[in-house]
Amino acid sequence: MRRHLLPALLLAALTTTLLLATGCADERTAEQRSGKLVYGFDENMKTFDPAHQVYAQESTIIHLVLETLVRWSDDLVLEPWLAESWEVNEDCSKWTFHLRPDVRFHDGTPLTSAAFKSQFERLMDPETAATRANRLVDIGSIEAPDDLTLVFNLANPNCVFAELLASTWAAVYSPAAFEKYGADIARNPVGTGPFTFVSWDQTKMEIALEKNPDYWRGDVIAIERLDLVQVKENTTRLTLLEQGMIDVGKVSAEHVPVARGNPDVQLMSAPYLAIVYIGFNCQRPPFDDVRVRQACNYAVNKQDMIEFVFFGVGEPAKGPFPTVLPAFNDEIEYYDYNPEKARALLKEAGYENGVDVVMWTQETGSYRKISEATVGYLKEVGVNVEMVVYDNGVYWDKFDEYMPITGERYPLKDGCYDMYVGGWAGGEAPQYFLEPLFMGGSYSNASFYDVPEVNRLLMEVKNYPDPADRDAAFKRLQEIIVGDAPWIFGYYSQQNVGVRNRVKGFKVNTSGWLRLEGVTLEDE
């Protein structure tokens, strides 16, 4: 990107700021506000069925209704949840979970080990075509010897198996509800969580939940009703927040100064365990050549991109997962901004006179911005990018033709992308940043990256009982992946959330969860 283009971006942001500064007064009546919290979200929500979730936003919403055996605390410690305890044998091949007694689903039926058994077996069934089925390949069999005991017998020992079960796709719903609704469980979820499902207008993308009066944790929820409303456009979402039409909502980077200046809104910020990146099709020329991939990494000035395009919000990515995770490798050589080195690598690879490629991106949001900035930087070194822009709602569906859930891969098929923009909220464990995105054949590995040593290490690391040995393996994996450069490592996200003053006790969770325990509402 030419530097003289950047002031124009800043001028556009200033114009937006001035327009937003004239926000209207609260338009909701006291009756409309009473006991109700309205949450404005921006990303896609297509299902309540853990078997078929794809988007990070789905996890944020699903966990309010459906729950898991274990979960990560706000301090990134794995803690008991629907399971009150568990134990594992010496070689990590048998995991036994003991469920809490007296937990009931929203339909009144008791939570039992049989419910989890049937849910996991459904996820493992090829006919279900679960999007996270590859996470369960280690399971040999599941037993439910009594109502409160659940046993996983692993065909492949896995010493981080419990961490896997904290993911929302491992949440449980009522077997009675599944028998009633079948596939329509995706629109009629019945779980054990703090909120019960009321309605979902998929046309307007409005979801209504109510407080679960019989929640197993007691009266930890003060909010009587939670309305979740999709507002894709960043300016509109902030305007609605300023007007009081929504109570909590994500604030985009360019709107951070506006939110900070509004006396009716608190701006809360925190690191986010997520990464935004530009992926390469590693099987398709020119990106089947590691020198071309490395050249593109050197061509992009990520620090300037964050400063001028994302208004200083975020951190340049140095590898495949955030620096805040304990296993981050801070000793390897990362890609600095060096366009001369980029040109030299392209020349060495036979592209001295330039090369034309196609990048897929989304229509709005940070994906579109990072795409446009990257296109400008790459053009400076001779990589000419044609952007193909898809609506946010169908973007990831477009990948299914080339990497269907059934496991086939078609990286060289006519029309396949050369580059794409992606993002990943991998959670609290490095394993689940690396295995889904870099294991050969993984459904989420849209870069078609397939390296035997990486595949081997990703399988072996799960066999190490000692966390120090696992961290050493993760650091070696980072070294290999950064060197191979299957992505342009973009930036680590930061969460910026606007919260109306009437909302008390709200905290931003590092993993992006919407946790409302202890949150209260006051009239403004």
Side-chain angles (χ1 to χ4, degrees), residues 165-181:
L165 303 180
S167 302
T168 308
W169 59 262
V172 66
Y173 46 69
S174 162
F178 185 71
E179 185 176 350
K180 176 181 179 180
Y181 293 112

Side-chain angles (χ1 to χ4, degrees), residues 282-344:
C282 295
Q283 303 298 320
R284 182 184 177 97
F287 297 118
D288 58 343
D289 190 324
V290 66
R291 294 169 296 185
V292 179
R293 303 195 299 265
Q294 291 174 339
C296 291
N297 271 279
Y298 284 117
V300 176
N301 190 332
K302 289 179 279 189
Q303 185 60 59
D304 270 12
M305 184 189 299
I306 290 171
E307 185 67 27
F308 292 101
V309 180
F310 295 102
F311 299 84
V313 176
E315 176 188 358
K318 296 180 177 179
F321 61 71
T323 58
V324 296
L325 292 182
F328 178 78
N329 190 340
D330 58 2
E331 296 181 355
I332 58 179
E333 182 179 349
Y334 303 107
Y335 297 99
D336 56 359
Y337 176 54
N338 192 333
E340 290 305 316
K341 190 166 186 176
R343 294 185 186 96

Side-chain angles (χ1 to χ4, degrees), residues 108 135 258 276 279 330 337 348 376 406-407 416 441 456 463 506:
R135 309 282 186 91
V258 184
V276 178
D330 58 2
Y337 176 54
E348 184 181 324
T406 49
C416 194
R456 177 183 61 80
N463 298 331
F506 184 87

Side-chain angles (χ1 to χ4, degrees), residues 369-380:
K369 291 177 183 177
I370 194 175
S371 302
E372 292 173 340
T374 300
V375 167
Y377 284 119
L378 293 182
K379 185 174 182 180
E380 293 292 326

Side-chain angles (χ1 to χ4, degrees), residues 1 234 252-254 305 309-311 361-374:
M1 175 180 292
N234 292 331
S252 61
E254 67 267 30
M305 184 189 299
V309 180
F310 295 102
F311 299 84
T361 189
Q362 290 192 15
E363 184 176 22
T364 60
S366 60
Y367 279 19
R368 178 65 178 267
K369 291 177 183 177
I370 194 175
S371 302
E372 292 173 340
T374 300

Side-chain angles (χ1 to χ4, degrees), residues 120-383:
F120 278 99
E121 288 177 343
R122 175 177 176 251
L123 291 170
M124 296 165 62
D125 185 345
E127 291 191 8
T128 303
T131 53
R132 301 294 187 266
N134 64 321
R135 309 282 186 91
L136 303 173
V137 295
D138 293 335
I139 298 176
S141 64
I142 306 172
E143 301 174 30
D146 60 58
D147 283 350
L148 299 179
T149 305
L150 181 68
V151 181
F152 292 93
N153 299 300
L154 305 188
N156 305 301
N158 185 339
C159 295
V160 293
F161 184 69
E163 296 179 356
L164 179 76
L165 303 180
S167 302
T168 308
W169 59 262
V172 66
Y173 46 69
S174 162
F178 185 71
E179 185 176 350
K180 176 181 179 180
Y181 293 112
D184 281 342
I185 198 76
R187 291 169 292 279
N188 298 277
V190 179
T192 63
F195 290 91
T196 63
F197 178 79
V198 177
S199 64
W200 181 9
D201 185 329
Q202 292 181 280
T203 302
K204 296 180 180 179
M205 196 51 68
E206 297 177 354
I207 299 167
L209 307 178
E210 288 183 349
K211 175 182 175 179
N212 176 9
D214 302 314
Y215 188 39
W216 62 270
R217 295 183 64 214
D219 195 22
V220 297
I221 300 294
I223 297 165
E224 295 296 328
R225 173 153 171 146
L226 174 62
D227 286 352
L228 305 116
V229 181
Q230 185 182 48
V231 186
K232 289 186 178 182
E233 210 285 313
N234 292 331
T235 302
T236 303
R237 191 169 57 257
L238 181 59
T239 301
L240 291 174
L241 181 68
E242 291 194 311
Q243 292 175 344
M245 298 303 292
I246 62 177
D247 297 299
V248 178
K250 180 179 175 182
V251 176
S252 61
E254 67 267 30
H255 295 150
V256 164
V258 184
R260 283 182 181 148
N262 190 313
D264 297 322
V265 174
Q266 304 172 65
L267 181 72
M268 298 185 179
S269 300
Y272 185 29
L273 294 178
I275 185 171
V276 178
Y277 60 90
I278 305 286
F280 301 113
N281 182 338
C282 295
Q283 303 298 320
R284 182 184 177 97
F287 297 118
D288 58 343
D289 190 324
V290 66
R291 294 169 296 185
V292 179
R293 303 195 299 265
Q294 291 174 339
C296 291
N297 271 279
Y298 284 117
V300 176
N301 190 332
K302 289 179 279 189
Q303 185 60 59
D304 270 12
M305 184 189 299
I306 290 171
E307 185 67 27
F308 292 101
V309 180
F310 295 102
F311 299 84
V313 176
E315 176 188 358
K318 296 180 177 179
F321 61 71
T323 58
V324 296
L325 292 182
F328 178 78
N329 190 340
D330 58 2
E331 296 181 355
I332 58 179
E333 182 179 349
Y334 303 107
Y335 297 99
D336 56 359
Y337 176 54
N338 192 333
E340 290 305 316
K341 190 166 186 176
R343 294 185 186 96
L345 283 166
L346 287 168
K347 180 178 181 181
E348 184 181 324
Y351 296 104
E352 182 178 6
N353 297 321
V355 61
D356 298 330
V357 297
V358 172
M359 177 196 293
W360 285 10
T361 189
Q362 290 192 15
E363 184 176 22
T364 60
S366 60
Y367 279 19
R368 178 65 178 267
K369 291 177 183 177
I370 194 175
S371 302
E372 292 173 340
T374 300
V375 167
Y377 284 119
L378 293 182
K379 185 174 182 180
E380 293 292 326
V381 299
V383 179

Side-chain angles (χ1 to χ4, degrees), residues 74 268-271 495-497 499 506-513:
D74 291 340
M268 298 185 179
S269 300
Q495 298 183 86
N496 297 290
V497 180
V499 182
F506 184 87
K507 296 179 181 178
V508 179
N509 179 270
T510 305
S511 300
W513 300 114

Side-chain angles (χ1 to χ4, degrees), residues 439 451-461 464 477 480:
M439 173 72 81
V451 175
E453 185 178 4
V454 170
N455 296 340
R456 177 183 61 80
L457 281 171
L458 285 173
M459 293 300 295
E460 287 183 358
V461 69
Y464 302 155
L477 281 162
I480 298 170

